[in-house]
Every structure is written in C-alpha cells, then in structure tokens.
Amino acid sequence: MQLFTIFGNPVSHSKSPLMHNLSFKGLEYDGCYTRYRLEDGTQLRSKFFDLDIIGANITVPHKEEAFKACDELDEFAQKVGAVNTIIKKEGKLYGYNTDAPGFLKAIAEFKEAKEVLFLGAGGTAQSTSVILRDAGYEVTILNRSAGRLERYEKEGFKTYTFENFKATENYDLIVNMTSAGLEDESLPCPIEILDIVIPKATACVDVIYGKETPFLKFAKTHKKPCKDGSDMLLYQGVIAFEHFSNQQFSFNEIKEHMQKAFTL
C-alpha cells in the first residue's frame, strides 16, 4: 500500500484525508492518506523520507519551504516559488502547484470579475496571483508588512501595506488569502479597510473552508455573495490525485468520488 499525507500547522481540520481516501477506495487504488502536523517547515524533506511516503500535500504555512525541499519542480511551481503537492520518484522529490489552477476554476462563476484584491501575501497568494494575471485578471496584493510584498513588486503587481493602502480603485473580488479566522475570530486586515473595499465589491472569497469565517460574516453584513474555499480544495485535490496516481484516472473520475467528502 502506498502512503500519502498532508503536512501543515494546523492540520487537524483538513478534509484532504477523507477526500483522497474516498477516491482511493472508489477507484480501487491501493493507497492510504494521513495527516501530519509539522511545526518546522525546514524538516519537511527529512520527514518525507523518514515516514516513507510516496506523495504529500502541503498546506499553510509550509508551501514555500516545500518549494525548497524539492529536487525537481514543474514549470509553473518553479515560476511561482510555492509547492503544495510533492511526489517521490526514485529517491527524488518532485514539486507541483495545484492550488492555483484549483482557485482559477473555483472563481470561474464570477464571469464579470476582473479586478481582484488579495488580503495576504503568503504561498497561496504567490501561485494564484500569477495564474490569475496570466488569465487576464488585474491583481493587487494587500499585506500587513512590506517584506513579503517585495517579490510581488518585482513581478509588477500593485502592492500595499495596511498603513499605505489607498482605496482609489474598485475591486470586483476581495479574497482572504490568510489563515485569519481559521482557528480564531480575527479578520485578515483592519476593519476600516474592509469597510471601504467590500461595499464596492461584486463578491468575497475565502480560501478557508468548512466554516463561516469572520471575513465572510462581515461580507454578508454588506449583502455580498460569498464563497469559501471548498471548491478550490476539491479542484486542487483532484489535480493532486492525478499526480499521486500517475495520471491513471481522468479529472471527472476522481472528482466523482472526491466530492463525496463534502456531503458526509
């Protein structure tokens, strides 16, 4: 039996084990998927080999460390500097990013949206900002501190910190790319900023799934359409499973079994 896991901190909330194990069972693939709470992302590579796993997903806050842990990277992962799926082949770790295509597919329903404001500048934002720009969106990054914004500035994105933010534009989608609200009741940025940008937005999206975050609750007070991270999780999971199973199954075959995790 092949062993797979998800590395992250926190990780107890993750639906990925259920999603992948349902797919293994439904597709009669000899695999088992667990979870591993990893506090120090620099240990990811050694843990991968110590646990003798074949493949893994990586969630916050280790996607950038996962990038560093890999021996080989696909073209997109190399471009964005963040990895959320790793496969071990012949003693080497191969890194991929399935977050970004999963997110792009998840927001396709907002057909008129073009201007997007990201709250947060971590690993998920790195990959999704690039794929959205490639798809024709205008992406602005708002982050607490300036340090994480340097990468985005070099790549030509508009960036702001909480202190220098100027709401001179209207944003169609406001997206929480942070873990704010995952295990607490915090907002991803000062409420004064949300009071400015959300009333003008078309919709609000949170990459957190499985709960109504304070960010989404606030958006609903302004009667905005809201979407959590469930679709993104599902779609990135299907693409990751394609890598895990060495492309043995189609996207729709995997999705049929994986989506059951959201109804149990």
Side-chain angles (χ1 to χ4, degrees):
M1 178 177 286
Q2 294 182 341
L3 182 63
F4 302 84
T5 195
I6 179 166
F7 290 112
N9 186 21
V11 77
S12 61
H13 69 288
S14 176
K15 199 180 285 285
S16 290
L18 179 59
M19 290 164 50
H20 286 274
N21 285 326
L22 282 169
S23 300
F24 287 142
K25 183 178 179 181
L27 295 167
E28 299 182 348
Y29 190 93
D30 194 18
C32 179
Y33 191 110
T34 65
R35 69 182 89 225
Y36 191 97
R37 182 171 178 264
L38 184 67
E39 294 190 6
D40 183 357
T42 62
Q43 295 181 1
L44 192 150
R45 181 180 174 89
S46 61
K47 290 295 181 184
F48 206 106
F49 288 100
D50 290 345
L51 296 170
D52 195 25
I53 55 179
I54 298 298
N57 289 128
I58 297 87
T59 188
V60 292
H62 302 315
K63 295 177 185 180
E64 290 157 281
E65 287 297 337
F67 175 87
K68 298 175 187 176
C70 293
D71 300 295
E72 303 286 345
L73 298 156
D74 80 341
E75 185 177 349
F76 183 70
Q78 197 164 16
K79 182 178 180 180
V80 300
V83 161
N84 78 311
T85 300
I86 297 178
I87 307 294
K88 183 171 68 178
K89 302 176 187 176
E90 299 177 349
K92 289 186 176 182
L93 300 188
Y94 289 74
Y96 307 90
N97 190 295
T98 69
D99 275 336
F103 183 82
L104 185 63
K105 193 173 179 66
I107 65 167
E109 66 188 78
F110 304 115
K111 299 185 186 302
E112 303 304 317
K114 285 300 173 188
E115 295 281 346
V116 182
L117 177 66
F118 279 3
L119 308 177
T124 306
Q126 279 183 209
S127 59
T128 49
S129 61
V130 173
I131 204 168
L132 259 63
R133 182 167 64 181
D134 289 349
Y137 292 84
E138 292 289 334
V139 182
T140 300
I141 318 294
L142 173 64
N143 194 58
R144 180 188 304 275
S145 59
R148 275 191 171 272
L149 294 174
E150 291 177 4
R151 175 193 183 97
Y152 297 91
E153 291 168 359
K154 289 177 182 176
E155 294 177 356
F157 289 99
K158 294 179 184 177
T159 66
Y160 295 101
T161 63
F162 295 168
E163 287 72 29
N164 67 15
F165 180 70
K166 298 174 183 177
T168 56
E169 301 176 30
N170 293 345
Y171 302 100
D172 302 314
L173 294 181
I174 315 296
V175 185
N176 175 27
M177 283 286 177
T178 77
S179 58
L182 177 58
E183 292 193 313
D184 55 31
E185 291 301 306
S186 62
L187 290 166
C189 72
I191 196 168
E192 293 81 8
I193 293 177
L194 296 181
D195 271 329
I196 296 171
V197 297
I198 287 182
K200 302 174 184 177
T202 301
C204 294
V205 179
D206 203 315
V207 296
I208 296 172
Y209 62 90
K211 65 174 292 188
E212 187 177 63
T213 61
F215 170 71
L216 293 183
K217 288 177 184 175
F218 185 84
K220 286 183 178 179
T221 66
H222 289 277
K223 297 181 171 55
K224 296 298 175 180
C226 292
K227 186 180 185 71
D228 74 357
S230 296
D231 280 352
M232 177 186 178
L233 176 70
L234 173 62
Y235 298 141
Q236 68 79 25
V238 172
I239 301 168
F241 193 96
E242 290 178 320
H243 289 298
F244 291 162
S245 60
N246 197 25
Q247 315 295 330
Q248 290 183 41
F249 309 100
S250 71
F251 185 96
N252 287 333
E253 282 178 315
I254 301 165
K255 180 184 174 186
E256 178 186 352
H257 298 285
M258 193 168 280
Q259 65 188 3
K260 294 174 184 175
F262 294 87
T263 59
L264 295 177

